[in-house]
Amino acid sequence: MEKLTKSYKRDTIEGQFDAIIIGSGLGGLTTGAFLAKEGKKVLILERHYVAGGFTHVFKRRGYEWDVGVHYIGDVHRPKTMINSLFNYICDTPIEWADMGEVYDKMIFGNEVYEYRKGAENFKNKMKEYFPDDADAIDKYVNLIFETQKNQRTFFMEKALPKSISWAVGSALRKKALSANRTTLEVLSEFISNKKLIAVLCGQFGDYGLAPGQSSFMMHAMLFKHYINGGFYPAGGSSVIFENIAPTILKRNGEIFTNAEVKEIIVKNNKAVGVKMLDDKEFFAPLIISSAGIVNTYKHFLSPEIIQKNNLEQLINKVTPSIGHVCLYVGLNASTEELKLQKANYWIFPDNYDHDKNIDDYLNDPEKEIPVVYVSFPSAKDPKWNERYPNKAAIDIITLADYNWYKKWDGTRWKKRGEEYEKEKEKLSQRLLEKLFQHEPQLRDKIDYYELSTPLTTKHFVNYQFGELYGLDNTPNRFNQKFLRPKTPIKNLYLTGQDVVSCGVGGALASGLLTASTILKKNLTNKIYS
Ligand SMILES: Cc1cc2nc3c(=O)[nH]c(=O)nc-3n(C[C@H](O)[C@H](O)[C@H](O)COP(=O)(O)OP(=O)(O)OC[C@H]3O[C@@H](n4cnc5c(N)ncnc54)[C@H](O)[C@@H]3O)c2cc1C
């Protein structure tokens, strides 16, 4: 395969570019692909030695693991936004593998609840589990669709120029904001069965917040996203970058890894370039940051610019999302031999109270783990056996507070010391035990495991507190109008999950909004034509 990236350590950046994009995650790539297709010469600067942000994979000891893509919804349905966006920005289409009829399994003690593909199937299955709540289940699914529909204009508003937004912005946002209350608050209005609420909120780990804290806008977006099933990129999540990058490269763009931006250069409140870690400077008429709004507003700009544009006040209005740990497990036998399934497991305590469980755990990590998510990438990927015959991979994830690991921040990756390793080993064993409870045949099949912590996320993807999903998906977040592509600094734009929402869908949509904002035209028509 032709090389898609250059290394800033070895290669030189030459020539002039129309746009510099900081970060090669899906938000940056999508923005870059749109701009490239509109004739702009794009330079993407990625700090990590691997491109793709959370879509990258890592390999160790003959295994491969995805780090931030376990399943995606709606990619298979023609004319959905996600399907159309991927088709538009990919040079060659990505092959999506269907996870089958059941994409998520919610496990509360001995009770297992399957999330079935298709709204009708989902409702029917839920009604089997909760026959007395049939009306509430219908109402729930209807409300999800209605809420999600109302969000279209809410997000479109983010791409409007200030003057138009001033005139019509409130009207465009109003309907969606009626659902901007906590998920628990909204569901409690028509569901009295606490067990049902807990089961319907079982995917809360996909946006990182308990029902009592998350915005129902986020919940509806996420739930609707997967209701027609889960899909996995055949060949692993790195194919996402591999299929988008040529769109940029064929149009004279360049993507550099090992290229850490230290500062955005601003002259007369206008972004004109970037300064790298080695103090080299590169200039372009457009600077786009996909490295998160906190990095951009707090760390890439000088104190004078931050003060002049009141950026600190803006950032103080939002909170970072929680961190996570992920146990990457390698097994020395094939997926078939090990009888691994495609569906994700969500393993909860049996008290059906997510809010309390998370609170208890964050206050005391010795308490029961509130959610253990298990993904079986080697079972989902039809091309796995071609690449890794007689091997299998599993990811096991739970929430984690950066503060638990803060004392080791500043130490070097892989050299954080014995105490850190001991803590990780203890947690790894707890997570493995959760897996063995449900897949006992794996107990003596583990060949390798390695635990990432919020410090790992910080080290590799540069989220200051090892955030799992950028900003917290609270109602407060969706009230903030400043979370949009245009910044108070001329020619500086934001893209990525902080603009729309976390998730592959959110990052893709942010790319569309950012490119539309920059080019002052609605590019939505392009993706559907
Ligand atoms: C564990 C986990 C599981 C997930 N599972 C799913 C899933 O199954 N389905 C789903 O839809 N979503 C999932 N997500 C969410 C999804 O992966 C993200 O929301 C999305 O990929 C974010 O894209 P982004 O472009 O906004 O940011 P990122 O992917 O974080 O990209 C930002 C990039 O900026 C780079 N950068 C930072 N600072 C600098 C700098 N100074 N100079 C240059 N570059 C810099 C970073 O290295 C990074 O590459 C998951 C996330 C995690 C963490």
Side-chain angles (χ1 to χ4, degrees), residues 3 134 162 168 234 272 288 323 338 419 430 487-488 522:
K3 208 162 170 338
K162 210 171 171 184
V168 298
V272 294
I288 300 145
L338 297 169
E419 198 192 343
R430 288 178 76 186
T487 73
N522 184 358

Side-chain angles (χ1 to χ4, degrees), residues 139-155 172-183 186-187 189-190 215-225 478:
K139 190 164 178 195
Y140 170 75
V141 173
N142 288 343
L143 184 62
I144 291 284
F145 277 93
E146 191 190 318
T147 304
Q148 215 270 339
K149 202 167 115 204
N150 290 342
Q151 291 179 3
R152 281 181 208 151
T153 55
F154 175 87
F155 288 116
L172 295 175
R173 288 163 54 86
K174 197 172 164 198
K175 259 192 171 174
L177 286 175
S178 65
N180 195 26
R181 295 173 290 137
T182 70
T183 306
V186 173
L187 298 191
E189 282 170 1
F190 62 95
S215 165
F216 185 67
M217 280 178 71
M218 182 68 236
H219 177 84
M221 228 186 304
L222 188 284
F223 184 88
K224 160 73 176 42
H225 175 71
F478 292 98

Side-chain angles (χ1 to χ4, degrees), residues 98-104 115-118 121 229:
D98 192 341
M99 286 171 65
E101 291 311 305
V102 179
Y103 51 99
D104 278 322
Y115 271 35
R116 295 214 155 221
K117 180 177 165 183
N121 295 336

Side-chain angles (χ1 to χ4, degrees), residues 71-345:
Y71 61 147
I72 308 179
D74 267 350
V75 279
H76 63 305
R77 296 198 312 139
K79 301 286 175 199
T80 58
M81 190 201 69
I82 290 188
N83 169 278
S84 308
L85 271 169
F86 266 124
N87 287 342
Y88 186 75
I89 62 171
C90 286
D91 187 56
T92 45
I94 295 170
E95 199 185 309
W96 298 105
D98 192 341
M99 286 171 65
E101 291 311 305
V102 179
Y103 51 99
D104 278 322
K105 283 188 181 182
M106 304 303 166
I107 305 171
F108 294 78
N110 295 325
E111 313 268 331
V112 181
Y113 304 86
E114 292 179 349
Y115 271 35
R116 295 214 155 221
K117 180 177 165 183
E120 286 310 310
N121 295 336
F122 178 86
K123 286 193 287 188
N124 290 339
K125 196 70 195 166
M126 285 298 138
K127 287 175 193 174
E128 274 179 33
Y129 301 130
F130 299 100
D132 296 340
D133 297 289
D135 289 348
I137 291 166
D138 285 333
K139 190 164 178 195
Y140 170 75
V141 173
N142 288 343
L143 184 62
I144 291 284
F145 277 93
E146 191 190 318
T147 304
Q148 215 270 339
K149 202 167 115 204
N150 290 342
Q151 291 179 3
R152 281 181 208 151
T153 55
F154 175 87
F155 288 116
M156 265 172 51
E157 186 275 335
K158 289 177 182 280
L160 293 180
K162 210 171 171 184
S163 56
I164 305 182
S165 164
W166 187 82
V168 298
S170 298
L172 295 175
R173 288 163 54 86
K174 197 172 164 198
K175 259 192 171 174
L177 286 175
S178 65
N180 195 26
R181 295 173 290 137
T182 70
T183 306
L184 191 60
E185 199 182 331
V186 173
L187 298 191
S188 301
E189 282 170 1
F190 62 95
I191 307 177
S192 52
N193 185 340
K194 298 269 183 289
K195 272 191 170 185
L196 176 59
I197 292 183
V199 173
L200 295 176
C201 292
Q203 294 168 317
F204 75 80
D206 281 336
Y207 48 78
L209 270 184
Q213 301 205 316
S214 62
S215 165
F216 185 67
M217 280 178 71
M218 182 68 236
H219 177 84
M221 228 186 304
L222 188 284
F223 184 88
K224 160 73 176 42
H225 175 71
Y226 289 118
I227 202 161
N228 291 302
F231 292 79
Y232 192 78
S237 67
S238 57
V239 303
I240 295 178
F241 173 77
E242 287 159 15
N243 289 30
I244 302 172
T247 305
I248 297 163
L249 302 180
K250 280 181 183 172
R251 292 166 177 82
N252 302 318
E254 302 250 38
I255 303 169
F256 277 78
T257 54
N258 294 304
E260 178 161 357
V261 170
K262 182 166 75 174
E263 195 183 315
I264 294 171
I265 306 168
V266 178
K267 299 247 163 77
N268 299 324
N269 218 41
K270 185 165 144 187
V272 294
V274 295
K275 188 185 262 194
M276 310 297 286
L277 212 53
D278 63 3
D279 284 337
K280 278 196 190 123
E281 296 180 339
F282 298 95
F283 296 91
L286 290 167
I287 308 296
I288 300 145
S289 175
S290 79
I293 192 165
V294 179
N295 275 334
T296 311
Y297 281 8
K298 255 182 142 164
H299 303 293
F300 294 168
L301 295 163
S302 69
E304 296 76 50
I305 297 294
I306 294 174
Q307 197 184 14
K308 183 175 173 179
N309 294 283
N310 294 325
L311 300 183
E312 202 170 339
Q313 281 94 317
L314 293 182
I315 285 301
N316 288 341
K317 290 183 180 183
V318 283
T319 45
S321 63
I322 189 157
H324 76 295
V325 294
C326 180
L327 189 69
Y328 299 99
V329 184
L331 303 98
N332 226 339
S334 73
T335 291
E336 295 73 23
E337 213 177 309
L338 297 169
K339 298 188 172 50
L340 302 183
Q341 307 188 10
K342 291 179 186 173
N344 306 309
Y345 292 0

Side-chain angles (χ1 to χ4, degrees), residues 26-27 45-47 53-54 67-68 70-71 261 462-463 496-497 503-504:
L26 198 51
L45 299 172
E46 169 55 51
R47 173 185 175 274
F54 276 125
V67 298
H70 301 123
Y71 61 147
V261 170
N462 206 22
Y463 287 91
Q497 59 186 347
V504 163

